[in-house]
Amino acid sequence: TGNHIKRTQAYIKRLAEQLRQNSRYVSELTDDFIALLYKSAPLHDIGKIGIPDNILQKEGSLTDDEFRVMKTHTTIGYEVIKNAEKVCGQPMKFLTVAKEIAYSHHERWDGEGYPLGLAGEQIPLSARLMAIADVYDALISKRVYKPAFSHSDAVNIIVSGKGTQFDPTIIDAFAEITDELDAIAQEYTN
């Protein structure tokens, strides 16, 4: 939805700003890079254009076969953005970041994610940030297949993924701004 895009865009920006306070990330998370994250974030799920509606709108759990199809949205998104770069005829920084996010935002810190099974810092920072923004928003949002979780339950679920699903350093930054993320969610409610 449009508001999912607005929320995740605002979450990733605020999360990156908070993470920049960690001296390890201050040189990487420049104002320019954070602006690129903000511009690129709306394309994180563009690959879902290639997923059949009967899967995207299914009430209840996906079968193993349906989930295999759903997981291809990462590679479809990567290819769509790569083709957009070709049309532009030159690399564009925001599309480069968008490709990273679309392709890798379902990777997990412990290597159990998809599509490549990347682990730790093999996962681009842009995708590690989007993973948290996307999961937080998915948890607090009602979907055809699940009710919305409360803000506090969503925070607890995400924090419990520290070091397994999510980058522990980014989770520490996330934990410091949960009230701000809740305010963003309220501002762009569906």
Side-chain angles (χ1 to χ4, degrees), residues 44-45 73-74 100-107 127 130-131 134:
H44 73 279
D45 275 341
H73 84 275
T74 58
E100 290 175 354
I101 291 172
Y103 198 40
S104 301
H105 72 284
H106 285 288
E107 298 287 0
M130 178 51 77
D134 192 36

Side-chain angles (χ1 to χ4, degrees), residues 150-189:
S150 70
H151 166 72
S152 63
D153 286 345
V155 167
N156 290 335
I157 291 167
I158 290 174
V159 170
S160 73
K162 179 179 179 176
T164 53
Q165 185 170 1
F166 304 114
D167 179 330
T169 305
I170 301 176
I171 289 297
D172 291 342
F174 168 84
E176 293 174 13
I177 61 166
T178 58
D179 289 343
E180 293 174 59
L181 300 178
D182 186 34
I184 291 166
Q186 299 311 312
E187 181 180 352
Y188 297 109
T189 191

Side-chain angles (χ1 to χ4, degrees), residues 7-167:
R7 288 189 302 266
T8 54
Q9 190 176 36
Y11 301 150
I12 198 171
K13 179 180 185 220
R14 185 62 196 101
L15 192 53
E17 290 167 345
Q18 185 65 31
L19 185 62
R20 179 170 54 189
Q21 293 182 21
N22 181 314
S23 60
R24 183 171 166 211
Y25 290 100
V26 71
S27 63
E28 189 171 358
L29 291 171
T30 63
D31 288 343
D32 287 344
F33 187 71
I34 292 172
L36 286 173
L37 287 171
Y38 184 79
K39 278 186 191 177
S40 302
L43 297 176
H44 73 279
D45 275 341
I46 193 168
K48 287 186 177 177
I49 62 171
I51 305 301
D53 284 347
N54 66 310
I55 293 175
L56 289 175
Q57 298 171 359
K58 182 178 180 180
E59 294 182 26
S61 299
L62 298 177
T63 66
D64 289 345
D65 286 341
E66 290 167 335
F67 188 57
R68 271 192 286 283
V69 171
M70 178 62 87
K71 290 192 309 185
T72 65
H73 84 275
T74 58
T75 52
I76 293 168
Y78 175 85
E79 291 298 326
V80 165
I81 298 167
K82 189 169 108 176
N83 287 334
E85 282 182 317
K86 286 180 186 172
V87 169
C88 293
Q90 63 185 7
M92 297 178 71
K93 287 181 183 178
F94 103 92
L95 289 178
T96 299
V97 173
K99 264 191 323 196
E100 290 175 354
I101 291 172
Y103 198 40
S104 301
H105 72 284
H106 285 288
E107 298 287 0
R108 290 174 46 112
W109 187 254
D110 62 9
E112 296 296 317
Y114 62 89
L116 299 176
L118 301 176
E121 292 186 357
Q122 293 176 319
I123 306 164
L125 177 59
S126 58
R128 296 191 324 258
L129 287 161
M130 178 51 77
I132 294 170
D134 192 36
V135 170
Y136 172 72
D137 199 63
L139 288 169
I140 65 165
S141 300
K142 182 182 182 299
R143 300 283 196 250
V144 295
Y145 54 87
K146 69 158 201 70
F149 285 86
S150 70
H151 166 72
S152 63
D153 286 345
V155 167
N156 290 335
I157 291 167
I158 290 174
V159 170
S160 73
K162 179 179 179 176
T164 53
Q165 185 170 1
F166 304 114
D167 179 330

